Amino acid sequence: MGFVLSDELLGAFAPIVVYWVYSGIYVSLSSLESYRLHSKVEEDEKNLVSKSNVVKGVLLQQFIQAIVAILLFTVTGSDADSSKTKQFSLLVLASQCVTAMLVLDTWQYFMHRYMHHNKFLYKHIHSQHHRLVVPFAYGALYNHPVEGLILDTIGGALSFLISGMSPRTSIFFFSFATIKTVDDHCGLCLPGNLFHMFFKNNTAYHDVHHQLYGSKFNFSQPFFVMWDRILGTYMPYSLEKRKDGGFEARPTKQVKD
């Protein structure tokens, strides 16, 4: 008798597996200095948290997310139940995914921005993520547990519920969202990267936010930049070659304190 995982369990744990596998790919490429936004020396010297603590923090957040996902699937019912009454077309699936993307982006923009503007929340919660001055792939979900719960776990639950997607669809959507988030923190501008081609919100865009001059800009994550543009927090930048190799995302407008 074969062992078969339910869609609900896959929906809860597949994004976690994807996170570490995709991060591992970028770790193996991290020595490519000619494509890095920051040198390895900068990564080691500027970051304010050890990589072992980053791993522990991410695993804690993923544990919480998995528990919430299982509870959410239990409350909303399984694919086996919903498939009896619903027939999904590709158009419906696409609509659900786009809706989920917009919901997730909207929730994360306003929560993320508020955590920067509220001094208490920034000091005691969001500043933990900004200990990564030089982001790297597997640090994408390194957050204070409260931030992880508010931004990622609740944001993901809302996008799932409002879009009306099934647990099976959520496997693919949240795995894709995980890959996108890891890519945004990878610190590498590789040629042919499809995320950089199709999304303005990419590695360089988010790197600007992690620098001191960009902490009040580029709050949007993980997909689009619409809220930054609409609400005036978009910081344009140019990608320039560094003399010592690699790239640098440089703001193209003056930053006011």
Side-chain angles (χ1 to χ4, degrees):
M1 182 180 293
F3 178 73
V4 179
L5 288 174
S6 68
D7 290 337
E8 290 75 20
L9 283 177
L10 284 173
F13 292 103
I16 296 175
V17 174
V18 167
Y19 183 92
W20 292 107
V21 170
Y22 195 62
S23 294
I25 294 172
Y26 272 120
V27 169
S28 69
L29 298 174
S30 63
S31 61
L32 298 176
E33 289 285 344
S34 58
Y35 297 107
R36 291 177 62 96
L37 289 172
H38 301 271
S39 68
K40 284 286 289 182
V41 173
E42 286 182 309
E43 181 180 303
D44 294 334
E45 291 182 349
K46 289 186 176 182
N47 285 338
L48 306 175
V49 59
S50 69
K51 291 182 177 179
S52 61
N53 282 336
V54 169
V55 171
K56 292 175 185 176
V58 172
L59 289 174
L60 174 60
Q61 179 168 332
Q62 289 176 329
F63 174 77
I64 295 171
Q65 286 181 341
I67 295 299
V68 173
I70 291 171
L71 291 174
L72 187 63
F73 292 145
T74 301
V75 171
T76 58
S78 68
D79 272 347
D81 297 328
S82 62
S83 62
K84 296 176 181 178
T85 57
K86 298 181 181 178
Q87 294 294 323
F88 292 108
S89 67
L90 289 177
L91 184 61
V92 170
L93 293 175
S95 175
Q96 289 176 339
C97 287
V98 171
T99 299
M101 291 167 80
L102 293 173
V103 170
L104 188 58
D105 266 31
T106 300
W107 176 263
Q108 294 214 349
Y109 175 85
F110 288 101
M111 292 298 102
H112 184 194
R113 183 174 178 178
Y114 184 65
M115 285 190 175
H116 272 271
H117 285 273
N118 184 295
K119 292 182 179 180
F120 178 86
L121 291 178
Y122 184 82
K123 179 180 180 180
H124 296 284
I125 296 177
H126 187 56
S127 62
Q128 178 169 324
H129 182 67
H130 280 272
R131 291 175 187 172
L132 295 177
V133 180
V134 178
F136 50 82
Y138 61 90
L141 291 182
Y142 175 68
N143 299 307
H144 189 283
V146 173
E147 177 177 351
L149 178 65
I150 294 173
L151 261 71
D152 298 310
T153 307
I154 294 179
L158 288 173
S159 63
F160 172 78
L161 292 170
I162 294 174
S163 68
M165 65 174 58
S166 66
R168 180 167 298 178
T169 302
S170 77
I171 298 170
F172 300 98
F173 175 76
F174 288 113
S175 293
F176 176 72
T178 297
I179 291 173
K180 178 66 173 61
T181 300
V182 169
D183 203 88
D184 291 345
H185 289 80
C186 73
L188 287 168
C189 287
L190 297 173
N193 187 321
L194 294 178
F195 288 116
H196 293 189
M197 295 179 185
F198 292 103
F199 292 94
K200 295 291 185 181
N201 193 338
N202 54 38
T203 308
Y205 185 87
H206 194 64
D207 182 78
V208 168
H209 175 72
H210 271 260
Q211 307 313 306
L212 183 61
Y213 61 77
S215 62
K216 296 180 181 179
F217 301 91
N218 294 9
F219 297 110
S220 294
Q221 56 186 38
F223 299 110
F224 310 115
V225 300
M226 60 178 186
W227 288 115
D228 277 319
R229 287 190 177 277
I230 291 170
L231 297 176
T233 53
Y234 176 83
M235 176 179 281
Y237 64 90
S238 61
L239 200 59
E240 307 288 345
K241 280 276 192 178
R242 294 200 314 264
K243 290 182 180 179
D244 57 348
F247 297 97
E248 180 183 358
R250 298 177 184 171
T252 56
K253 73 175 185 180
Q254 187 175 1
V255 181
K256 297 180 180 180
D257 294 329

